[in-house]
Amino acid sequence: MQIQDLPFPDPGVPDARSGPRFLWWLFRNQLPGQLKSLAWGLLHFASVASLPFSVGLAVQAALDRSGGRLALAGGLMALACAGNAVGDTFLHRAAVTNWITAAARVQQLLSRKAAALGSALTRRVAAGEVVAVSTGDVEKIGWFVEALSRFTAAAVTIVAVCVGLVVYQPDLGVVVAVGLPLLAVAVLPLLPRATRRADVQREKAGRATELASDTVAGLRVLRGIGGEELFLDRYRRASQEVRRAAVRSARMWSLIAAIQVLLPGLLLITVVWYGVHLARDGRIAVGELVTVYSSVMVLTYPLRHFEEIAMAYSFSRPSAKRAARVLSLDRATDTAGTRDAEAPSGDLYDPATGLLAPAGRLTAVVCGDPDAAGRLAERLGGHAAEEGTSVLLGGVPLDELPLECARTAVLVQDKDPVLLSGTLRELLDVPASGAVDPRDALDAAQCGDVLAALVQGSLGADDPMDARITERGRSLSGGQRQRLALARSLVTDPEVLVLDEPTSAVDSHTEARIAQGVRALRARRTTVVFTSSPLLLDRADRVVFLHGDTVAAVGGHRELVRTEPRYQAVVTRETEAEAEAQSAEVRSEDAGLPGGAARDKDGALSGDVTRKPGDVTRKKDGALPGGEGPKRRDAAPGRLEQLEEIEEFEELQEIEELEELEELEELDELDEIEETA
């Protein structure tokens, strides 16, 4: 596998039972690259280790005044240098390739898992942990996978040199053969403590990252409430904790590094002292002493790979454990797509709650618990966070469809959609049916002022589609971000579109126009909107009220406001007792209406009404004759404002229609004048 071949066509199914198992799985899946790195490593370390023999041979040849052996030693030295250069170059190339491919494989596995789990991922794992795994942890995992082959080459070289020294000079070779393994294992007692300190540092760094991401995400709100300094102090404290943990961890690793320098030095002194003693006794030649001395000195280089592999494993083990935890998560209702990849159509039905969204209709869902509404919206799109009965689309369980097919059929836009950085054209360049033009979607979502703001903030962008959007749309207001996200969802034109509070940050007039635009653009398409806004509810074909986990009432918005106190309490933000009292008052008024009088759809009186002298008849809007103000006894203050918004928008629509009629009449008069002339 070469770097230019990334990404992998299939990254495979990881062994996520534990961190060490995951590391071993990565190593096995890169076995060809590891063998290549091992081969180049053996060439490199063998070339380095052969230099002392060449030097010792040259020294002894000079003492013996042997030109032939001196030339041979020079040739061997040149060959060792060439092998060292070639081996080091290609070892580095192979090692970096292994590192990058391992990191890329882990990132690809994490991205696929995030795509498969959807919003359920952050419900089960903290967002800061996911960020830490996909950034810093990926590099540490790749480091260990890459270092393993180099460590193996270094270990093989050390064993070979020790055996060679024992054969070449048994007296000194035995000392080296006994001393080097002791040096390699001398730091093992310190590794558990160093690992624990590294784990603490990782944990504190993850918390600081999560705090920083949450602070940045809520920066606009923090500025509004004056909480910037408070959260800045919290991040300062978290950052200082990370610094202190990093210093404690670095102290332990510096101690290990010092031991790795001190002990080889002591071994070298021992070899020299003992070798000089043997040379005085005439038991070894000067060239042999130089060879053994040079070998011990050179072996400190491959010996350092023992320290590196220990450090790499200590850092990568907790990282692999976190990655394995994320990769071990599965969809709560995953059946691996037992049906054919064919998107169904028809009614959307949730057996768990009894919610039915008829095909081709705009269905509004009112739920008193926002969290329960969010979970239901996710379940409707096949993103269930817990096991349960599958949602049916046209009688077909979504969980039995391939994931890609289910996501194509049902699109869920959550209440906090994310805008990626880039141009507006790139934002709207999403998988879509092609039936909806992006500009029509922007018009339906009432994005006119958003486009103007984007053009103003982008230099040299004459076309709004070329205007740039900052990361997460931070330069835009909450309502502007909502409208752009809604336009993106409308462009996809799915069979079923589920919107969770799509206009919660939009003013009432814009909200009413959005409701009208979405209704027109999504004609003959199934749309489900979770909302408690009367402006949206009043324009829905069907309103479903959920109380708890089941459907409690179905009907029109105005009908449910009059007949269902619990629905009225959610929509008007009253208590159920107040809503019940007002509904009872309305029913008592209706019971006391004379003759054939009744209330129409809007709550106005209709039919024959016989009034007694002195009776006062209310107008349709609830006002009394003679210019008296509105006196709706059946509406709470919150509901009164919402009903006034609806009627105000209807009056604006009537005014616009009158203006259009006047323009047509003027055109007709101009045509008559022209014909007369």
Side-chain angles (χ1 to χ4, degrees):
M1 185 70 187
Q2 299 297 322
I3 295 176
Q4 60 264 26
D5 297 329
L6 296 175
F8 293 96
D10 181 12
V13 180
D15 186 352
R17 289 177 290 177
S18 65
R21 288 178 181 272
F22 179 61
L23 291 173
W24 176 243
W25 177 85
L26 280 175
F27 179 83
R28 286 189 292 107
N29 276 267
Q30 293 187 200
L31 193 57
Q34 297 292 341
L35 293 177
K36 185 184 296 185
S37 178
L38 177 61
W40 291 118
L42 288 174
L43 175 61
H44 169 59
F45 289 118
S47 300
V48 172
S50 64
L51 283 173
F53 291 93
S54 302
V55 172
L57 181 61
V59 170
Q60 192 62 41
L63 291 175
D64 296 340
R65 299 181 181 275
S66 173
R69 283 188 295 164
L70 187 61
L72 176 62
L76 291 177
M77 194 175 300
L79 185 62
C81 290
N84 182 21
V86 174
D88 191 21
T89 300
F90 285 94
L91 171 62
H92 179 73
R93 180 185 179 90
V96 171
T97 300
N98 289 335
W99 190 338
I100 294 177
T101 50
R105 188 188 295 271
V106 177
Q107 284 183 326
Q108 195 170 347
L109 289 169
L110 290 170
S111 61
R112 288 197 176 189
K113 180 61 67 174
L117 293 175
S119 58
L121 175 61
T122 52
R123 293 183 181 274
R124 301 165 70 177
V125 181
E129 184 171 350
V130 177
V131 172
V133 170
S134 59
T135 53
D137 287 343
V138 166
E139 293 185 3
K140 293 174 178 62
I141 292 171
W143 177 27
F144 174 75
V145 173
E146 170 269 327
L148 198 56
S149 57
R150 288 191 293 110
F151 162 73
T152 304
V156 170
T157 302
I158 290 175
V159 171
V161 170
C162 289
V163 173
L165 288 177
V166 170
V167 174
Y168 179 71
Q169 176 44 248
D171 293 331
L172 286 178
V174 171
V175 176
V176 176
V178 172
L180 284 177
L182 293 178
L183 296 183
V185 301
V187 296
L188 290 181
L190 300 177
L191 289 180
R193 182 177 298 180
T195 302
R196 286 194 298 271
R197 292 190 179 185
D199 291 346
V200 172
Q201 178 191 353
R202 289 288 179 284
E203 182 181 355
K204 292 184 179 297
R207 290 177 182 174
T209 301
E210 185 174 356
L211 178 61
S213 61
D214 290 344
T215 302
V216 172
L219 191 58
R220 186 183 296 271
V221 178
L222 293 177
R223 286 174 176 170
I225 63 176
E228 290 177 270
E229 288 299 325
L230 174 64
F231 276 80
L232 185 59
D233 289 339
R234 290 183 182 177
Y235 182 74
R236 283 197 186 103
R237 290 195 295 270
S239 178
Q240 290 302 314
E241 290 180 2
V242 174
R243 181 189 62 81
R244 286 191 290 269
V247 169
R248 293 184 72 247
S249 178
R251 284 174 180 168
M252 184 56 63
W253 287 112
S254 63
L255 176 61
I256 292 174
I259 292 175
Q260 290 286 337
V261 173
L262 176 64
L263 294 183
L266 294 177
L267 177 62
L268 192 62
I269 293 173
T270 302
V271 168
V272 171
W273 176 81
Y274 186 54
V276 170
H277 177 71
L278 293 176
R280 283 179 178 177
D281 293 342
R283 296 166 59 183
I284 64 171
V286 175
E288 292 175 340
L289 176 60
V290 171
T291 299
V292 176
Y293 167 79
S294 302
S295 297
V296 174
M297 184 175 63
V298 169
L299 284 180
T300 57
Y301 167 59
L303 196 63
R304 283 197 172 265
H305 286 74
F306 284 79
E307 175 194 352
E308 182 189 8
I309 196 65
M311 184 181 295
Y313 180 73
S314 299
F315 277 83
S316 64
R317 187 180 61 82
S319 298
K321 181 180 178 181
R322 281 193 292 267
R325 179 189 173 195
V326 175
L327 294 175
S328 64
L329 300 176
D330 291 321
R331 295 178 65 210
T333 55
D334 194 1
T335 59
T338 56
R339 291 180 178 264
D340 296 334
E342 183 177 351
S345 61
D347 297 343
L348 184 68
Y349 178 66
D350 179 28
T353 59
L355 171 64
L356 174 66
R361 306 287 296 278
L362 174 59
T363 302
V365 181
V366 178
C367 184
D369 184 1
D371 292 334
R375 291 192 296 270
L376 176 56
E378 292 169 0
R379 191 164 68 249
L380 291 179
H383 302 265
E386 55 188 18
E387 294 185 1
T389 308
S390 174
V391 173
L392 306 177
L393 178 59
V396 178
L398 284 179
D399 294 337
E400 296 182 6
L401 292 172
L403 185 60
E404 184 178 355
C405 183
R407 297 279 172 85
T408 303
V410 183
L411 174 66
V412 179
Q413 176 184 302
D414 60 16
K415 64 184 65 177
D416 187 22
V418 176
L419 301 181
L420 302 179
S421 59
T423 64
L424 181 59
R425 193 185 309 279
E426 293 170 344
L427 177 70
L428 301 180
D429 184 17
V430 293
S433 66
V436 177
D437 185 82
R439 297 188 183 275
D440 294 336
L442 291 169
D443 291 340
Q446 299 298 309
C447 294
D449 62 319
V450 185
L451 300 182
L454 288 175
V455 170
Q456 267 190 341
S458 300
L459 297 176
D462 298 329
D463 187 352
M465 300 298 288
D466 295 327
R468 295 200 62 82
I469 300 172
T470 58
E471 181 185 2
R472 300 179 68 92
R474 300 193 192 281
S475 61
L476 303 173
S477 66
Q480 290 173 329
R481 288 195 297 269
Q482 274 191 339
R483 283 178 281 166
L484 283 180
L486 176 60
R488 180 179 56 186
S489 299
L490 293 174
V491 166
T492 61
D493 190 37
E495 181 68 26
V496 179
L497 177 60
V498 180
L499 304 172
D500 188 5
E501 295 289 353
T503 58
S504 58
V506 177
D507 64 85
S508 58
H509 294 293
T510 306
E511 186 177 29
R513 290 185 173 87
I514 289 175
Q516 185 176 353
V518 171
R519 182 184 177 89
L521 194 64
R522 293 285 300 172
R524 297 181 298 279
R525 287 288 201 179
T526 307
T527 307
V528 181
V529 182
F530 286 80
T531 183
S532 59
S533 168
L535 294 171
L536 290 176
L537 296 171
D538 194 54
R539 282 157 180 79
D541 298 318
R542 194 167 186 263
V543 178
V544 179
F545 172 59
L546 271 75
H547 185 70
D549 295 328
T550 57
V551 173
V554 179
H557 165 60
R558 303 191 185 193
E559 174 190 354
L560 292 177
V561 167
R562 293 197 308 272
T563 61
E564 178 55 64
R566 293 173 298 181
Y567 175 85
Q568 181 181 347
V570 173
V571 174
T572 61
R573 296 169 178 81
E574 303 171 342
T575 63
E576 284 194 25
E578 293 173 342
E580 180 66 36
Q582 291 169 10
S583 297
E585 186 178 353
V586 171
R587 287 195 295 271
S588 65
E589 287 182 356
D590 291 346
L593 292 176
R599 294 187 184 274
D600 62 12
K601 176 182 175 182
D602 298 328
L605 295 177
S606 61
D608 295 333
V609 180
T610 305
R611 295 188 300 273
K612 297 179 182 180
D615 284 351
V616 179
T617 305
R618 296 182 185 275
K619 297 180 181 179
K620 179 179 178 181
D621 61 356
L624 297 174
E628 296 185 26
K631 298 189 178 181
R632 292 189 181 91
R633 291 180 297 167
D634 60 340
R639 182 186 165 208
L640 179 61
E641 295 174 358
Q642 294 158 345
L643 292 175
E644 285 176 350
E645 289 175 355
I646 295 175
E647 292 171 358
E648 184 178 354
F649 180 73
E650 291 174 347
E651 290 174 1
L652 288 173
Q653 284 185 315
E654 293 174 0
I655 292 172
E656 291 176 355
E657 291 174 358
L658 289 174
E659 291 176 350
E660 291 177 358
L661 290 175
E662 290 175 357
E663 291 176 357
L664 291 174
E665 291 174 357
E666 290 177 359
L667 291 174
D668 291 340
E669 291 176 359
L670 289 173
D671 290 340
E672 291 176 0
I673 292 172
E674 290 176 356
E675 290 175 0
T676 304

